[in-house]
Amino acid sequence: MKQEKISSLQLFYIIIGFELGTTMLFGYGAGAKQDAWLVMVIGMLSGLILMGVFTQLSAYYPGDTIVSMIPKIIGKYLSYPLIMVYIFYFIYAASRGSRDLGELITTTMLVDTPTVIVIGSFMVLMIYCLRGGIETFGRMGEIIFPIYMMSLIVVWILLFSIESFNLKNLTPVLGNGVKPILKEVYPGGVNFPFGETFIIMMFFPFLNNKRNIRKVGMFIILVGGVLLTINSIIVLSVLGPQIYGRDFFPLLTATRMVSIADFLERFDVLIILMMVSGVFFKVGSWIFGASIAIYQLFKLNHSKSVLLALGFIITPLSLLIATDFVEHLKIGLGYNYFLYFLVPLQIIVPIMLLFIAFIRKKFNHKNSSV
């Protein structure tokens, strides 16, 4: 497979879009009530530590993805089951993102359209883009991310015009103490969305200037964390902590309250546009990661046929993972899913790999200096 390259800016667009993705729409940190924005801040700080782990691993093995570096760290035979788990994780995460899109579209716009049609149509476009290679994906990021940001800024400006907008909804700060905040951050907030940026390790080998790895990674966490914090503050100020915690899509609900001179309404189309853009980055990154992982594990000649197979797997899987949207959210935002699945794969394993890689590098350095 031809080794394609993307620029630091293209990687930034892809992963920042991935990080924001669907997170903007959900009631992130709702359990902390009016302090949900603090959950975002602490999650961002924790995310910076995790990104330090990811970038250091990539610095030790600059030409490798997480999949190709694992055998070099823990050995060939121990690495196979772990890599297979990661491949399943990427596919499952792509299925969850596709289901998010399908449920939102069929709930808000195409009410009588079967969810499978929405997800299937999106998957065709997604696979078509990815078959063009990572350079095509990077160029799409340059086009789509500015549209995403313009839509978000317009929505924020509109929310300021709502009469119910009141910053007092954020008080009292720490009114329930620190415990509810920490309970939301660990393990949930640190894993979603900041821990998910683990996927960036599948992109680092394709970066045209690998000296920028750490800068790009840290900047993604900082910018994403700030944008998510601002979004939480604005939506909380409009809805209040009670509605923010109960609603599936609080940003969509808040936007539907916008009415300019009782004439300009229904700005929720901007949220739909953001959702489609966000899922493009989210699902696209997971599918790309899965295809590269399969390509490297089984030493295939090319990954385009893998992409087609993944499209046929992800579409039905997205419908089978839950019977309805409530169950889908219950699983995806559940404590057990974070604790027993995401924490090991996104936090524990990378830290252990870094520790082992550090020992190996230090030991090899001592041997070479003798």
Side-chain angles (χ1 to χ4, degrees), residues 87-105:
I87 291 173
F88 170 77
Y89 166 43
F90 294 159
I91 294 173
Y92 180 73
S95 301
R96 292 200 60 82
S98 301
R99 182 65 177 268
D100 287 337
L101 175 70
E103 292 290 349
L104 178 66
I105 296 297

Side-chain angles (χ1 to χ4, degrees), residues 258-366:
V258 175
S259 178
I260 300 176
D262 293 325
F263 176 68
L264 293 176
E265 297 178 335
R266 300 294 301 186
F267 289 100
D268 46 326
V269 67
L270 292 173
I271 304 299
I272 305 301
L273 179 61
M274 287 173 56
M275 179 67 177
V276 174
S277 302
V279 172
F280 171 83
F281 291 113
K282 198 101 178 178
V283 174
S285 297
W286 289 129
I287 294 176
F288 174 80
S291 66
I292 295 299
I294 294 170
Y295 163 81
Q296 292 179 337
L297 178 63
F298 297 105
K299 297 179 173 58
L300 304 178
N301 293 326
H302 56 82
S303 62
K304 290 187 176 181
S305 57
V306 175
L307 288 169
L308 286 175
L310 288 173
F312 282 110
I313 292 171
I314 290 170
T315 300
L317 182 60
S318 65
L319 299 170
L320 294 173
I321 55 178
T323 55
D324 54 38
F325 191 50
V326 175
E327 184 183 0
H328 170 69
L329 289 179
K330 186 177 179 181
I331 294 171
L333 300 177
Y335 182 81
N336 290 336
Y337 176 66
F338 285 114
L339 187 62
Y340 300 115
F341 193 65
L342 297 188
V343 170
L345 294 180
Q346 296 178 169
I347 299 178
I348 296 176
V349 170
I351 291 175
M352 290 180 63
L353 290 175
L354 179 61
F355 178 75
I356 297 170
F358 173 77
I359 297 298
R360 279 181 172 272
K361 293 290 182 180
K362 197 164 186 179
F363 182 75
N364 292 338
H365 177 73
K366 285 182 179 180

Side-chain angles (χ1 to χ4, degrees), residues 50-66:
L50 283 177
M51 184 56 70
V53 173
F54 304 154
T55 54
Q56 188 57 49
L57 271 172
S58 295
Y60 282 151
Y61 302 93
D64 292 301
T65 65
I66 182 65

Side-chain angles (χ1 to χ4, degrees), residues 224-243:
V226 169
L227 291 175
L228 289 169
T229 301
I230 294 172
N231 187 67
S232 289
I233 290 173
I234 293 175
V235 176
L236 275 168
S237 298
V238 172
L239 299 179
Q242 298 301 323
I243 299 178

